Amino acid sequence: MNNQLHELLKQSSARHDHLCPRQVLGVRMGLAGLAAIGLEAPMPHKAALVILETDGCFADGVEVASGAVVGHRTLRIVDQGKIAATFANVESGQTVRLAPSLDVRQRALKYAPEIKKKYYAQLKGYQIMPETELFTFQEVKLEPALKLIISRPGLKAKCANCGEEIINERQVCAEGKVLCRTCAGERYYNSLEITL
Ligand SMILES: [Zn+2]
Ligand SMILES: [Zn+2]
C-alpha cells in the first residue's frame, strides 16, 4: 500500500473508529475520480464538483481523498442508495461517473487469497486492486447542467407562496409565479403544523 493511501485511510477511519471496505472504496474512488477528470488529489480550490450517490462510511472516504466539502459547494449528495460518485471538472466540464465493478467483491478475494473471512479479504483487496478492476468509468452529462448546479453567488429570489428566500437559482416558475421547490411540490417533508 502506498503512503498516500495509507494516510487517507487513517484520516477516514479516524472519523469512525473503524476501517471498513466502504471507506476503502471511497478513498480509492476519490483519488481515481479526480484523476479521471485530469485533477490531482486533493483538488485545487473549487476545481471539481463531486456528487455522491449515498452517505455513510463511503462518503467519508471520498471526502478525505478528494478534498470535496459541502462548505465549499464542491460536494453534494443525490441519494440513490448506491456506492457511486460523479466527478465534474469545473473548468473543462469533463464529467465521469465511477461505480464499483459489478463483481468487485469476488475480484477482491483473489487479491487476498490468504484471508478466509470475506469482509477482511475485501478490506485488503480493495486497497491493492488496480483502479480499472475496482471501478467502472463512465463519461456522463449532468442534468441539470454543471453551470446551473453551481449557479452564481448573490442571486436571490422570494417564494410567492411561503415567502422564504431562495438562493442559487433553485426557484421554479409555475403558473406565472416564482415558487420554492417545496411549494411547487418537490418536497421531502409534510408539515405537521395545525392551521387554525
Ligand atoms: Zn464503516
Ligand atoms: Zn415556498
Side-chain angles (χ1 to χ4, degrees), residues 159-164 166 179-184:
C159 175
N161 186 49
C162 70
E164 290 183 351
I166 308 148
L179 294 175
C180 72
R181 286 166 191 257
T182 309
C183 290

Side-chain angles (χ1 to χ4, degrees), residues 41-55:
M43 71 170 80
H45 188 62
K46 295 192 179 184
L49 173 68
V50 179
I51 300 175
L52 301 173
E53 297 189 15
T54 188
D55 49 16

Side-chain angles (χ1 to χ4, degrees), residues 48-107:
L49 173 68
V50 179
I51 300 175
L52 301 173
E53 297 189 15
T54 188
D55 49 16
C57 289
F58 162 74
D60 272 334
V62 176
E63 270 194 58
V64 299
S66 66
V69 286
V70 171
H72 288 165
R73 306 192 65 239
T74 49
L75 182 70
R76 304 169 64 79
I77 294 177
V78 177
D79 197 349
Q80 312 283 61
K82 292 183 183 182
I83 301 291
T86 294
F87 296 77
N89 183 319
V90 171
E91 202 176 280
S92 72
Q94 190 188 10
T95 307
V96 180
R97 179 180 183 269
L98 277 67
S101 305
L102 295 181
D103 58 350
V104 74
R105 290 198 177 101
Q106 292 309 313
R107 286 184 193 219

Side-chain angles (χ1 to χ4, degrees), residues 16 18-23 56-58 119:
H16 291 273
H18 73 272
L19 180 67
C20 59
R22 284 185 181 170
Q23 285 177 55
C57 289
F58 162 74
Y119 177 94

